[in-house]
Amino acid sequence: MTDTRCPANTSRRVTPRQNGFSMVEALITVLIFAIGLLSVAGLQAVAKRSVYESAQRTTAAQLGNALLEKMRANPRALATYVTAGTLGGGSLGAAPAPCDDPLDPCSADQLARVDLWRWEQQLDGLNSLVDGQAAGGLLTPSACIRGPVDGSAGMYTLVVAWQGSATQTNEVNDACGAGRYGADDATKRIAVFSTYLDPLS
C-alpha cells in the first residue's frame, strides 16, 4: 500500500518573523516624543508666567495695604498723601529728613513725606538690591492716591498699577499710569484699595 501523503522531500516556504522597529515606526515614535516635550515646555512657560503674575499681584496687595495703614496712623496729614501726585519711578526725588530723632519729632506732614518716599522705594524695589539692580517691587509701577484734597473725612482710594507679562483686556480701566503699558495699556495690571479715613479719629 502506497503513502498518498505529501512526499517527504516537499518543503514549505516559511516566512521568517520580523523583529525590531522599522524606520517609519522609529520616526513616528520620535515625532510623538518631540510633540510631548514641546507641550511640556509650553506648559512650563505658562506656569512660570502665572507664578510671576501672582507674585506681582501679591506684592501690590501688600504694598497697598501697607500705605493705607500708614495713612490711617497719620490721619492729620491726609492732604499730604493725596496731593503727592503719581508715585513710582523715583517721582519723589531725594529722601526727606528721616524723622528718626525722638528729641526732634517731625510734624504730621513731614512724617507723611517720609512715609511716601519710603513706600515709593518699596514700590520700585529699591529697598532690595542685587548687583545694584532692584530685586523687589513691581515692574514699571505707578500709584495714585485719591480722596478729599483738603484731607477731610471721606473715602480714600489707592490705585497701584504695574506692567503685566502679557496682553490682558479684563483689567479695570483707570487713568493711573495711563500710557505706560503698551498700546491701549493692554499689559497694564491694577489693584485698587479703598477705605474710609477721618482726620479726627
Coordinates of all heavy atoms in Angstrom, one line a residue, residues 39-96:
S39 N 5.0 70.2 24.3 CA 3.8 70.5 25.2 C 4.2 70.8 26.6 O 3.7 71.7 27.2 CB 2.8 69.3 25.1 OG 2.4 69.1 23.8
V40 N 5.2 70.0 27.1 CA 5.6 70.2 28.5 C 6.3 71.5 28.6 O 6.1 72.3 29.6 CB 6.6 69.0 28.9 CG1 7.3 69.4 30.2 CG2 5.8 67.8 29.0
A41 N 7.1 71.9 27.6 CA 7.8 73.2 27.6 C 6.8 74.3 27.6 O 7.0 75.3 28.3 CB 8.8 73.3 26.4
G42 N 5.8 74.2 26.8 CA 4.7 75.2 26.7 C 4.0 75.4 28.0 O 3.8 76.5 28.5
L43 N 3.7 74.3 28.7 CA 3.0 74.3 30.0 C 3.9 75.0 31.0 O 3.5 75.7 31.9 CB 2.6 72.9 30.4 CG 1.5 72.3 29.7 CD1 1.3 70.8 30.1 CD2 0.2 73.0 29.9
Q44 N 5.2 74.7 30.9 CA 6.1 75.3 31.9 C 6.2 76.8 31.7 O 6.2 77.5 32.7 CB 7.5 74.7 31.7 CG 8.5 75.1 32.8 CD 9.9 74.4 32.6 OE1 10.2 73.8 31.6 NE2 10.7 74.5 33.6
A45 N 6.2 77.2 30.5 CA 6.2 78.7 30.2 C 4.9 79.4 30.8 O 5.0 80.4 31.4 CB 6.3 79.0 28.7
V46 N 3.8 78.7 30.6 CA 2.5 79.2 31.1 C 2.5 79.3 32.6 O 2.1 80.2 33.2 CB 1.3 78.4 30.5 CG1 0.0 78.8 31.2 CG2 1.2 78.6 29.0
A47 N 3.0 78.2 33.2 CA 3.1 78.1 34.7 C 4.0 79.2 35.2 O 3.7 79.8 36.2 CB 3.5 76.7 35.1
K48 N 5.1 79.4 34.6 CA 6.1 80.4 35.0 C 5.5 81.8 35.0 O 5.6 82.6 35.9 CB 7.3 80.3 34.2 CG 8.5 81.2 34.7 CD 9.7 81.0 33.9 CE 10.9 81.9 34.4 NZ 12.1 81.7 33.6
R49 N 4.8 82.1 33.9 CA 4.1 83.4 33.7 C 3.0 83.6 34.8 O 2.9 84.6 35.3 CB 3.5 83.5 32.3 CG 2.9 84.9 32.0 CD 2.7 85.1 30.6 NE 1.7 84.2 30.0 CZ 2.0 83.3 29.0 NH1 3.2 83.3 28.5 NH2 1.1 82.5 28.6
S50 N 2.3 82.5 35.1 CA 1.2 82.6 36.1 C 1.8 82.9 37.5 O 1.2 83.6 38.2 CB 0.4 81.3 36.1 OG -0.3 81.1 34.8
V51 N 2.9 82.2 37.8 CA 3.5 82.4 39.1 C 4.0 83.8 39.2 O 3.9 84.5 40.2 CB 4.7 81.4 39.3 CG1 5.6 81.8 40.4 CG2 4.2 80.0 39.4
Y52 N 4.6 84.3 38.1 CA 5.1 85.7 38.1 C 4.0 86.7 38.3 O 4.1 87.6 39.1 CB 5.8 86.0 36.8 CG 6.2 87.5 36.6 CD1 7.3 88.0 37.3 CD2 5.5 88.3 35.8 CE1 7.7 89.3 37.2 CE2 5.8 89.7 35.7 CZ 6.9 90.1 36.4 OH 7.2 91.5 36.2
E53 N 2.9 86.5 37.6 CA 1.7 87.4 37.7 C 1.2 87.4 39.1 O 0.8 88.4 39.7 CB 0.6 87.0 36.7 CG 1.0 87.3 35.3 CD 0.7 88.7 34.8 OE1 0.2 89.5 35.7 OE2 1.0 89.0 33.7
S54 N 1.1 86.2 39.7 CA 0.6 86.0 41.1 C 1.5 86.7 42.1 O 1.0 87.4 43.0 CB 0.4 84.5 41.4 OG 0.0 84.3 42.7
A55 N 2.8 86.6 41.9 CA 3.8 87.2 42.8 C 3.6 88.8 42.7 O 3.7 89.4 43.7 CB 5.2 86.8 42.5
Q56 N 3.5 89.3 41.5 CA 3.3 90.7 41.3 C 2.0 91.2 42.0 O 2.0 92.2 42.7 CB 3.3 91.1 39.8 CG 4.7 90.9 39.2 CD 5.6 92.1 39.4 OE1 5.5 93.1 38.8 NE2 6.5 92.0 40.3
R57 N 1.0 90.5 41.8 CA -0.3 90.9 42.4 C -0.2 90.8 44.0 O -0.8 91.7 44.7 CB -1.5 90.1 41.9 CG -2.8 90.6 42.2 CD -3.9 90.0 41.4 NE -3.8 90.3 40.0 CZ -4.3 91.5 39.4 NH1 -4.9 92.4 40.2 NH2 -4.2 91.7 38.1
T58 N 0.4 89.8 44.5 CA 0.6 89.7 45.9 C 1.4 90.8 46.5 O 1.1 91.4 47.5 CB 1.3 88.4 46.3 OG1 0.5 87.3 45.8 CG2 1.5 88.2 47.8
T59 N 2.5 91.2 45.8 CA 3.3 92.4 46.2 C 2.5 93.6 46.2 O 2.6 94.4 47.1 CB 4.5 92.5 45.2 OG1 5.3 91.3 45.3 CG2 5.4 93.7 45.6
A60 N 1.7 93.8 45.1 CA 0.8 95.0 45.0 C -0.1 95.1 46.2 O -0.4 96.1 46.8 CB 0.1 95.0 43.7
A61 N -0.7 93.9 46.6 CA -1.6 93.9 47.7 C -1.0 94.3 49.0 O -1.5 95.0 49.8 CB -2.3 92.5 47.8
Q62 N 0.2 93.7 49.2 CA 1.0 94.0 50.5 C 1.3 95.5 50.5 O 1.2 96.1 51.6 CB 2.2 93.1 50.5 CG 1.9 91.7 50.7 CD 3.2 90.8 50.6 OE1 4.2 91.2 50.0 NE2 3.1 89.6 51.1
L63 N 1.8 96.0 49.4 CA 2.2 97.4 49.4 C 1.0 98.4 49.6 O 1.1 99.3 50.3 CB 2.9 97.8 48.1 CG 4.3 97.2 47.9 CD1 4.8 97.4 46.5 CD2 5.3 97.8 48.9
G64 N -0.1 98.0 48.9 CA -1.3 98.9 49.0 C -1.8 98.9 50.4 O -2.1 100.0 51.0
N65 N -1.9 97.8 51.1 CA -2.4 97.7 52.4 C -1.5 98.4 53.4 O -1.9 99.1 54.4 CB -2.6 96.3 52.9 CG -3.8 95.7 52.2 OD1 -4.9 96.3 52.1 ND2 -3.7 94.4 51.8
A66 N -0.1 98.3 53.1 CA 0.8 99.0 54.0 C 0.7 100.5 54.0 O 0.8 101.2 55.0 CB 2.3 98.6 53.6
L67 N 0.5 101.1 52.8 CA 0.3 102.5 52.7 C -0.9 103.0 53.3 O -1.0 104.0 54.0 CB 0.4 103.0 51.2 CG 0.4 104.5 51.0 CD1 1.5 105.2 51.8 CD2 0.5 104.9 49.5
L68 N -2.0 102.3 53.1 CA -3.3 102.7 53.8 C -3.1 102.6 55.3 O -3.7 103.5 56.0 CB -4.4 101.7 53.3 CG -4.9 101.9 51.9 CD1 -6.1 101.0 51.7 CD2 -5.3 103.3 51.6
E69 N -2.4 101.7 55.8 CA -2.1 101.7 57.3 C -1.3 102.9 57.7 O -1.6 103.4 58.8 CB -1.4 100.4 57.7 CG -2.3 99.1 57.6 CD -3.5 99.3 58.5 OE1 -3.4 99.8 59.7 OE2 -4.7 99.0 58.1
K70 N -0.4 103.3 56.9 CA 0.4 104.5 57.3 C -0.5 105.7 57.3 O -0.4 106.6 58.1 CB 1.6 104.7 56.3 CG 2.7 103.6 56.4 CD 3.8 103.9 55.4 CE 4.9 102.8 55.5 NZ 5.5 102.8 56.8
M71 N -1.4 105.8 56.3 CA -2.3 106.9 56.3 C -3.3 106.9 57.5 O -3.6 107.9 58.0 CB -3.1 106.9 54.9 CG -2.3 107.1 53.7 SD -3.2 106.8 52.1 CE -4.4 108.1 52.2
R72 N -3.7 105.7 57.8 CA -4.6 105.5 59.0 C -3.9 105.9 60.3 O -4.5 106.5 61.2 CB -5.1 104.1 59.0 CG -6.2 103.9 60.0 CD -6.8 102.5 59.9 NE -7.6 102.4 58.8 CZ -7.4 101.6 57.7 NH1 -6.2 100.9 57.6 NH2 -8.2 101.6 56.7
A73 N -2.6 105.7 60.3 CA -1.8 106.0 61.5 C -1.4 107.5 61.6 O -1.0 108.0 62.6 CB -0.5 105.2 61.6
N74 N -1.6 108.2 60.5 CA -1.2 109.6 60.4 C -2.3 110.4 59.8 O -2.1 111.1 58.7 CB 0.1 109.8 59.6 CG 0.7 111.2 59.7 OD1 0.3 112.0 60.5 ND2 1.6 111.5 58.8
P75 N -3.5 110.4 60.3 CA -4.7 111.0 59.7 C -4.7 112.5 59.5 O -5.3 113.1 58.7 CB -5.9 110.5 60.6 CG -5.2 110.4 61.9 CD -3.9 109.9 61.7
R76 N -3.8 113.2 60.3 CA -3.8 114.7 60.2 C -3.1 115.1 59.0 O -3.2 116.3 58.6 CB -3.1 115.3 61.5 CG -4.0 115.2 62.7 CD -3.3 115.7 63.9 NE -2.1 114.9 64.2 CZ -1.1 115.4 65.0 NH1 -1.1 116.6 65.5 NH2 0.0 114.6 65.2
A77 N -2.4 114.2 58.3 CA -1.7 114.6 57.1 C -2.3 114.0 55.8 O -1.6 113.8 54.8 CB -0.2 114.2 57.2
L78 N -3.6 113.7 55.8 CA -4.2 113.0 54.7 C -4.0 113.8 53.4 O -3.8 113.3 52.3 CB -5.7 112.7 55.0 CG -5.9 111.7 56.0 CD1 -7.4 111.5 56.3 CD2 -5.4 110.3 55.6
A79 N -4.1 115.2 53.5 CA -4.0 116.0 52.4 C -2.6 115.9 51.7 O -2.4 115.9 50.5 CB -4.2 117.5 52.7
T80 N -1.5 115.6 52.5 CA -0.2 115.5 52.0 C -0.1 114.2 51.2 O 0.5 114.1 50.1 CB 0.8 115.4 53.2 OG1 0.7 116.6 53.9 CG2 2.2 115.3 52.6
Y81 N -0.7 113.1 51.7 CA -0.7 111.9 50.9 C -1.5 112.0 49.6 O -1.0 111.6 48.5 CB -1.4 110.8 51.7 CG -0.6 110.3 52.9 CD1 -1.0 110.7 54.2 CD2 0.4 109.5 52.8 CE1 -0.3 110.3 55.3 CE2 1.1 109.0 54.0 CZ 0.8 109.5 55.2 OH 1.4 109.1 56.3
V82 N -2.6 112.7 49.6 CA -3.5 112.8 48.4 C -2.8 113.7 47.3 O -2.9 113.4 46.1 CB -4.9 113.3 48.8 CG1 -5.7 113.7 47.5 CG2 -5.6 112.3 49.6
T83 N -2.1 114.7 47.8 CA -1.5 115.6 46.8 C -0.1 115.3 46.4 O 0.6 116.1 45.8 CB -1.5 117.1 47.4 OG1 -0.8 117.1 48.6 CG2 -3.0 117.6 47.6
A84 N 0.3 114.0 46.7 CA 1.7 113.6 46.3 C 1.9 113.4 44.8 O 3.0 113.4 44.4 CB 2.0 112.3 47.1
G85 N 0.8 113.3 44.1 CA 1.0 113.0 42.7 C 1.1 111.5 42.4 O 0.9 110.7 43.2
T86 N 1.5 111.2 41.1 CA 1.7 109.8 40.7 C 3.0 109.3 41.3 O 4.0 109.9 41.0 CB 1.6 109.7 39.2 OG1 0.3 110.2 38.7 CG2 1.8 108.2 38.8
L87 N 3.0 108.3 42.0 CA 4.2 107.7 42.6 C 4.7 106.6 41.8 O 4.0 106.0 41.0 CB 3.9 107.2 44.0 CG 3.2 108.1 45.0 CD1 2.8 107.4 46.3 CD2 4.2 109.2 45.3
G88 N 6.0 106.3 41.9 CA 6.7 105.3 41.2 C 7.7 105.8 40.2 O 7.6 106.9 39.7
G89 N 8.8 105.1 40.1 CA 9.9 105.5 39.2 C 10.7 106.6 39.8 O 11.3 107.4 39.0
G90 N 10.7 106.8 41.1 CA 11.5 107.8 41.7 C 11.0 109.2 41.6 O 11.7 110.2 41.6
S91 N 9.6 109.3 41.5 CA 9.0 110.6 41.3 C 9.2 111.6 42.5 O 9.1 112.8 42.3 CB 7.5 110.4 41.0 OG 6.8 109.9 42.2
L92 N 9.5 111.0 43.6 CA 9.6 111.9 44.8 C 11.0 112.4 45.0 O 11.2 113.2 45.9 CB 9.1 111.1 46.1 CG 7.7 110.7 46.1 CD1 7.3 109.9 47.3 CD2 6.7 111.9 46.0
G93 N 11.9 112.0 44.2 CA 13.3 112.6 44.2 C 14.1 112.1 45.5 O 14.0 111.0 45.9
A94 N 14.8 113.1 46.0 CA 15.7 112.8 47.1 C 15.0 112.4 48.4 O 13.8 112.9 48.6 CB 16.7 113.9 47.3
A95 N 15.6 111.7 49.3 CA 15.0 111.3 50.5 C 14.8 112.5 51.4 O 15.7 113.4 51.5 CB 15.8 110.3 51.2
P96 N 13.7 112.6 52.1 CA 13.5 113.7 53.0 C 14.2 113.4 54.4 O 14.7 112.3 54.5 CB 11.9 113.7 53.2 CG 11.5 112.3 53.0 CD 12.5 111.8 51.9

